[in-house]
Amino acid sequence: MRVNGGTAARFAFAALLAASAACSEADLQRLRQEGESIAATAGAEAKRAAGTQSAILIETAEAIAAEQGPKFKQTAEAAVATAIAGVVRPDHRGDVVVGAYYYPWWQPGNDHSRSGYSRQPLLGDYDSADPSVVGQHIEWAADKGVDYFAMSWWGPGSFEDRVLRDVWPRARANDRLRIAIVYETIGRLAGGQLPADGIDLNDARVRATLLEDIDYLQRTYWSRGDAMTVDGRPLLAFYLSRQLRGDVSGTMQEIRDRTRSAGAEAWIIGDEVFWQRYHPISPDRLAAFDAVTAYNMHASADEVEGDFTGRVAAEYEAWRIAANRAGTVFIPGVIPGYDDRIVRSGNLPIPRSPELFASQLAMALPLVDPSAQMLLITSWNEWHEDTGIEPAEPLGITYLDVLRESVRVR
């Protein structure tokens, strides 16, 4: 999350001005100068603030405030605490914000269901447009520690759009879990087939489609009570953003400007993290996004054979450091396994197991950025690639129990 020093300054000055209502002009000037110092400290430290860091920051504010008397001490302490909460903490329950990619595309007889399942969900060959199915998914996820679903979105009027727009508000317990949009970049901007040289954002047609879609998303979803937000900003993720070419930074900034002027500036996650030999780290690309993540680290034999989790950990550390330097949040992604042989050929599987999922979570948690406290799971129900943690045969809710024990009990 980008640290907003202006936000910290506004909170600090509000307290200082309230405390100085009866001060002389000289005293007021002194308090303002000290307020600037407090705000600068909050802005500099907020990105790293978590645990002891936030305690140190509050203690510093208290020490300064104590010299000005009890009233100033109380108001300054409250202001800095509020600034830390607003700048550092996203809107969520619990210590770590857990998201899971969700696919609202299943329906008996449609193309996805006809392609088959890698394993049998406990709910069977279900219909994503059934409110009772949605309600059960929400209850399972919320009970076991998932804060939000990152929803695959395929355009206005698509089946996925209708499910999310019309069915989810009618599902039971829908207030227990939030939703974010995952923009299906290739599906929306390249007709489902990735061009050899990527997707050119300098192409007027491509850019117009993207911006029209963003306008629709803002009108349709971001004013809903179940929208996932970070500091009040609706979360928007781009699948395979690393395939975007042209003016990536300018386009992302245009989306922020456009959504801010319409009432809610988007908080943008880019799917940029991958093996560097395929996608080298670019500080400019990292800086284009509010956060970066890896949807899935499955790749060739060299990467998936042997100590997969250990290899991913080393790769993630390099990306985490680079993202931190670029002022961008790093969000580690985890999987329980991978096997797409039911729909494709030629890829080696990563045999799934609760043990692998636990090791992925254990690897990811120390890499969670303290300024946002987020991780993403691939996935809730992508059964084509066997990455789902949705309850399924033969292990039932085992993967959800692993999640609960790994993330919530630490």
Side-chain angles (χ1 to χ4, degrees), residues 354 357 389 391-392 394-403:
F357 188 44
I389 62 169
L395 296 180
I397 64 171
T398 299
Y399 287 93
L400 295 183
D401 285 338
V402 169
L403 173 64

Side-chain angles (χ1 to χ4, degrees), residues 19 24 31 41 57 82 93 139 166 177 201 213 216 245 281 287 305 321-322 332 345 371 375 381 384 386 397 406:
S24 68
L31 291 177
T41 301
L57 182 54
T82 303
R93 312 176 311 277
E139 291 184 5
D166 302 330
L177 186 139
L201 291 175
D213 283 349
Y216 176 87
R245 302 291 182 264
I281 291 174
E305 290 186 326
I321 292 171
S345 61
S371 72
L375 68 80
N381 61 344
H384 297 321
D386 200 17
I397 64 171
S406 298

Side-chain angles (χ1 to χ4, degrees), residues 20-65:
S20 62
C23 290
S24 68
E25 184 61 29
D27 288 339
L28 181 59
Q29 180 62 28
R30 187 181 74 256
L31 291 177
R32 282 176 173 165
Q33 291 172 349
E34 289 172 352
E36 290 174 354
S37 176
I38 293 171
T41 301
E45 291 297 320
K47 190 172 184 181
R48 301 192 305 275
T52 58
Q53 291 294 331
S54 55
I56 290 170
L57 182 54
I58 291 173
E59 289 171 4
T60 301
E62 288 179 339
I64 295 171

Side-chain angles (χ1 to χ4, degrees), residues 31 72 84 119 129 133 161 189 196 198 268 303 317 341 350:
L31 291 177
F72 178 69
I84 293 171
R119 61 194 62 245
V133 169
D161 178 56
L189 304 181
I268 305 173
E303 286 78 25
E317 179 62 14
R341 290 176 295 180
I350 302 172

Side-chain angles (χ1 to χ4, degrees), residues 25 28 36 71 94-95 97 122 131 145 173 199 235 270 293 312 322 330 332-333 337 340 353 355 358 381 389-390:
E25 184 61 29
L28 181 59
E36 290 174 354
K71 182 177 179 181
D95 294 330
V97 184
L122 288 188
I199 300 170
L235 191 158
T293 192
V312 170
F330 175 76
D340 65 353
S353 69
E355 292 75 21
N381 61 344
I389 62 169
E390 175 191 350

Side-chain angles (χ1 to χ4, degrees), residues 29-375:
Q29 180 62 28
R30 187 181 74 256
L31 291 177
R32 282 176 173 165
Q33 291 172 349
E34 289 172 352
E36 290 174 354
S37 176
I38 293 171
T41 301
E45 291 297 320
K47 190 172 184 181
R48 301 192 305 275
T52 58
Q53 291 294 331
S54 55
I56 290 170
L57 182 54
I58 291 173
E59 289 171 4
T60 301
E62 288 179 339
I64 295 171
E67 298 177 1
Q68 310 303 324
K71 182 177 179 181
F72 178 69
K73 176 177 184 257
Q74 293 169 2
T75 52
E77 180 182 358
V80 175
T82 303
I84 293 171
V87 173
V88 175
R89 303 297 297 176
D91 306 326
H92 76 290
R93 312 176 311 277
D95 294 330
V96 178
V97 184
V98 178
Y101 291 99
Y102 186 98
Y103 292 88
W105 59 26
W106 303 102
Q107 189 174 55
N110 73 2
D111 289 344
H112 289 287
S113 294
R114 282 198 301 269
S115 295
Y117 296 82
S118 53
R119 61 194 62 245
Q120 184 65 22
L122 288 188
L123 297 180
D125 186 15
Y126 60 77
D127 187 345
S128 294
D130 183 342
S132 67
V133 169
V134 172
Q136 182 61 74
H137 285 172
I138 291 171
E139 291 184 5
W140 273 331
D143 284 344
K144 300 299 184 178
V146 177
D147 293 287
Y148 72 96
F149 282 145
M151 313 288 291
S152 174
W153 186 80
W154 290 79
S158 64
F159 177 73
E160 296 81 7
D161 178 56
R162 296 195 306 273
V163 167
L164 181 54
R165 184 190 65 205
D166 302 330
V167 176
W168 276 71
R170 296 190 285 112
R172 69 180 184 274
N174 63 4
D175 59 338
R176 299 188 61 197
L177 186 139
R178 298 186 179 184
I179 59 170
I181 297 296
V182 178
Y183 190 80
E184 291 287 352
T185 309
I186 297 174
R188 289 300 298 153
L189 304 181
Q193 187 67 39
L194 179 66
D197 56 351
I199 300 170
D200 185 7
L201 291 175
N202 293 337
D203 183 308
R205 180 195 58 81
V206 168
R207 201 174 181 111
T209 297
L210 172 57
L211 294 177
E212 288 170 4
D213 283 349
I214 297 300
D215 290 345
Y216 176 87
L217 291 172
Q218 185 157 38
R219 291 193 310 270
T220 307
Y221 296 112
W222 290 347
S223 62
R224 282 177 27 172
D226 59 356
M228 175 64 190
T229 62
V230 178
D231 289 341
R233 298 167 58 189
L235 191 158
L236 171 66
F238 280 88
Y239 174 61
L240 281 182
S241 66
R242 64 179 182 270
Q243 298 295 344
L244 297 174
R245 302 291 182 264
D247 187 8
V248 176
S249 295
T251 301
M252 295 303 135
Q253 189 56 51
E254 184 172 1
I255 290 172
R256 290 191 194 92
D257 294 342
R258 194 181 187 99
T259 53
R260 182 174 61 252
S261 66
E265 179 182 345
W267 197 77
I268 305 173
I269 299 177
D271 176 16
E272 289 288 307
V273 179
F274 202 56
W275 303 98
Q276 292 177 67
R277 68 171 174 149
Y278 305 117
H279 183 60
I281 291 174
S282 165
D284 289 342
R285 288 188 70 98
L286 292 176
F289 301 95
D290 295 285
V292 291
T293 192
Y295 174 78
N296 191 337
M297 293 296 284
H298 181 277
S300 69
D302 288 345
E303 286 78 25
V304 303
E305 290 186 326
D307 182 13
F308 173 72
T309 297
R311 292 170 186 255
V312 170
E315 197 72 26
Y316 276 2
E317 179 62 14
W319 282 93
R320 184 193 67 79
I321 292 171
N324 183 262
R325 289 173 178 167
T328 300
V329 169
F330 175 76
I331 302 175
V334 302
I335 60 174
Y338 181 91
D339 187 351
D340 65 353
R341 290 176 295 180
I342 195 170
V343 291
R344 305 182 189 99
S345 61
N347 289 331
L348 285 176
I350 302 172
R352 62 180 286 146
S353 69
E355 292 75 21
L356 174 62
F357 188 44
S359 73
Q360 287 268 299
L361 289 165
M363 171 272 295
L365 285 170
L367 298 174
V368 166
D369 190 317
S371 72
Q373 296 282 82
M374 301 179 78
L375 68 80

